[in-house]
Amino acid sequence: MGYQHQPFDMDLPSADRLWHLTAPLRFYFAPTFYGIDKIDPEHPVLLVGNHTIYGVLDVPLLIAQIYREQGVLVRSLADHAHYDVPVWRRMLDMTGAVEGTRDNCRRLMANGEHILVFPGGAREVSKRKGEQYQLTWKQRLGFCKLAIENGYNIVPFASVGPDDMFDILIDADDVLSTPLGTAMKKVGLLKKEGPLRGGDLIMPVVRGLGLTAIPRPEKFYFAIGDEIDVSGYAGKTDDKQALMQLRKSVALGIHDLIDELKVIRDQDKDVGLVRRLLKNA
């Protein structure tokens, strides 16, 4: 990690400032929220959810809404790749995000912060065709270990709408099956620890509005679920079976929320004429 930043020493944004910064996104995507009141300012938790394609348009809306309603600035654990981009990484720091390392997470927990994480990371963002609203967590158990270790209950959450902003034209599998993919493999770009993390950082080529890559103005829906108590897993941070059981409970909670939000979306007639016309453009 070449970028040395001090996210814990920065002045964090006010709720009003973050609200104003996210106003354009709110206008374009008209988000609807459910369960924000489940976030207790006095009871820090680890929020775990589904990462959407590209993963940068929905998260600020959810964080701004929680901050405005509950007075809690949820601290996001951002993928390391974000911190390779000079201007973007500074913007993340200014919204309270931190680089998603275990040490940073432990420090946030020691400070009693509310934390948001996507176990799917970059791989879940760089979606392949047909992967909308799927959890791509591989064998990751770190979030479960940290929650148990620090006595942080887990709260599942979900977003529906962002994965429908684009049609995926070319995904990583398409690229890897070409001569370009073969060449990247030969020069070592596709090593697991390489710059493309075995292909996880190959982002899809997409189409949004018309023939452009501008996202379609899909209405966003967010839901926060019920808290999952981790106290019964105390002392089991090295028990893979127990960790997998906890992970499964979280994943099921997220999938249930996704299904509920899809039903709400199907029944929602209040999308607006302009939004309907733009989506069909």
Side-chain angles (χ1 to χ4, degrees):
M1 321 295 175
Y3 174 48
Q4 299 298 318
H5 63 310
Q6 300 295 328
F8 298 93
D9 300 326
M10 295 186 65
D11 291 330
L12 297 176
S14 67
D16 285 343
R17 182 186 178 197
L18 194 55
W19 187 256
H20 290 309
L21 286 173
T22 53
L25 292 175
R26 213 162 21 255
F27 172 79
Y28 194 72
F29 296 112
T32 299
F33 301 88
Y34 301 91
I36 298 294
D37 59 343
K38 293 181 180 180
I39 301 299
D40 181 351
E42 303 301 323
H43 180 58
V45 293
L46 180 64
L47 287 148
V48 180
N50 61 305
H51 224 349
T52 57
I53 188 167
Y54 293 140
V56 295
L57 296 177
D58 54 329
V59 180
L61 288 169
L62 178 60
I63 290 176
Q65 192 74 25
I66 294 173
Y67 203 3
R68 186 176 180 85
E69 289 192 27
Q70 301 299 102
V72 172
L73 177 59
V74 177
R75 309 294 296 273
S76 299
L77 299 179
D79 189 271
H80 311 305
H82 289 294
Y83 291 90
D84 292 330
V85 185
V87 177
W88 178 245
R89 67 196 181 196
R90 181 68 176 174
M91 291 178 65
L92 288 176
D93 286 349
M94 291 173 64
T95 62
V98 302
E99 191 168 4
T101 67
R102 293 193 180 191
D103 284 344
N104 280 348
C105 186
R106 288 189 180 99
R107 188 169 175 183
L108 288 172
M109 288 177 167
N111 290 344
E113 306 266 12
H114 288 71
I115 305 166
L116 181 150
V117 66
F118 298 102
R123 173 58 185 85
E124 203 166 283
V125 165
S126 58
K127 294 189 182 296
R128 276 56 162 171
K129 295 167 188 171
E131 287 187 349
Q132 292 92 335
Y133 305 111
Q134 291 185 18
L135 302 180
T136 312
W137 290 0
K138 298 185 177 180
Q139 296 300 310
R140 291 170 182 162
L141 296 168
F143 74 97
C144 293
K145 289 184 178 182
L146 287 165
I148 296 169
E149 175 187 314
N150 294 276
Y152 255 66
N153 288 346
I154 297 174
V155 173
F157 73 93
S159 57
V160 162
D163 274 356
D164 301 298
M165 296 183 298
F166 301 110
D167 296 319
I168 297 176
L169 304 178
I170 301 172
D171 63 21
D173 292 337
D174 296 324
V175 173
L176 295 176
S177 65
T178 66
L180 175 60
T182 302
M184 288 193 296
K185 186 174 183 178
K186 285 183 178 179
V187 299
L189 290 176
L190 296 179
K191 291 181 179 178
K192 185 177 180 181
E193 303 301 326
L196 295 177
R197 298 188 202 164
D200 283 3
L201 286 180
I202 298 177
M203 294 295 158
V205 177
V206 300
R207 180 178 62 210
L209 275 178
L211 299 177
T212 76
I214 299 171
R216 291 188 291 269
E218 294 285 344
K219 190 169 181 178
F220 286 3
Y221 301 82
F222 296 89
I224 294 175
D226 295 327
E227 192 170 316
I228 297 173
D229 189 351
V230 304
S231 62
Y233 296 90
K236 297 182 179 181
T237 54
D238 295 321
D239 184 339
K240 186 174 181 180
Q241 184 175 355
L243 294 173
M244 289 298 292
Q245 181 181 13
L246 175 57
R247 184 181 115 146
K248 183 178 180 181
S249 296
V250 178
L252 287 174
I254 296 170
H255 281 301
D256 286 346
L257 291 171
I258 290 173
D259 290 341
E260 290 172 13
L261 289 176
K262 285 181 177 179
V263 172
I264 291 172
R265 179 178 63 177
D266 290 343
Q267 297 173 347
D268 188 1
K269 306 302 180 184
D270 185 24
V271 295
L273 178 60
V274 174
R275 185 174 309 280
R276 189 178 295 112
L277 290 174
L278 285 175
K279 281 177 60 177
N280 294 328

